[in-house]
Amino acid sequence: MKKCFMGDDGLDERQLLLRGNVYKHSLIVMMSLLLIDGFLREEGIVWAEGMWGNILIFWASAGIALVEFILRDILPRSRRQNSLYIILGLCGLMLAVMGGTHIFIDHEPLVENGALNTLGAGLIQAAVMLGVCILFIGKQVYDRRRKEEE
């Protein structure tokens, strides 16, 4: 049944343990940030308007997980899944261009009433996406150069 839906991943025990550690780290980060956000909201401190606080908490933990995957050379299930990082970068670039347009042409603020608005949160989300993509591309270039030197 597993082969039908997920394919034969061929991961060894080391890869599986590393993946588990990455998921554990991202879960701990997400739970900690949600707890901090809950305490701040209880005290009346709103750092991001509406749902954007939760979305940024998700992107913080997902960004940390993706960065750890890249730096530890934890391979995705197939080579095609490497395109996920490129698609993520393209989405981040689109968000950054749209946000930059609003800032420079419409002169919209990033913060309103002491909390990040939609534009500010979108730019932070774009930065995380672009950062993961740039790190992935940089790691690929670094690995190729290292192989060529050997």
Side-chain angles (χ1 to χ4, degrees), residues 72-150:
R72 288 182 175 227
D73 286 327
I74 300 173
L75 304 173
R77 291 192 180 274
S78 70
R79 298 298 281 170
R80 288 185 306 174
Q81 287 185 347
N82 283 341
S83 61
L84 167 72
Y85 297 117
I86 304 302
I87 292 170
L88 199 64
L90 292 174
C91 291
L93 183 63
M94 292 294 292
L95 280 173
V97 167
M98 290 187 301
T101 303
H102 284 291
I103 291 171
F104 294 117
I105 294 176
D106 299 336
H107 302 290
E108 288 188 28
L110 300 176
V111 176
E112 292 178 17
N113 300 326
L116 280 172
N117 61 13
T118 302
L119 180 60
L123 286 176
I124 292 173
Q125 182 179 348
V128 171
M129 291 175 162
L130 282 171
V132 167
C133 180
I134 290 169
L135 178 67
F136 172 73
I137 292 170
K139 181 79 163 101
Q140 293 293 316
V141 169
Y142 173 77
D143 288 345
R144 283 189 193 136
R145 286 187 181 169
R146 201 174 78 199
K147 280 184 182 180
E148 289 173 1
E149 289 176 0
E150 291 177 358

Side-chain angles (χ1 to χ4, degrees), residues 49-65:
E49 71 179 26
M51 65 179 179
W52 287 104
N54 293 333
I55 291 173
L56 290 177
I57 288 171
F58 164 78
W59 277 108
S61 62
I64 287 171

Side-chain angles (χ1 to χ4, degrees), residues 29-59:
V29 167
M30 184 181 288
M31 289 178 7
S32 300
L33 291 175
L34 284 172
L35 184 64
I36 291 168
D37 182 52
F39 284 133
L40 288 174
R41 288 186 188 272
E42 184 68 25
E43 293 299 317
I45 300 170
V46 178
W47 61 276
E49 71 179 26
M51 65 179 179
W52 287 104
N54 293 333
I55 291 173
L56 290 177
I57 288 171
F58 164 78
W59 277 108

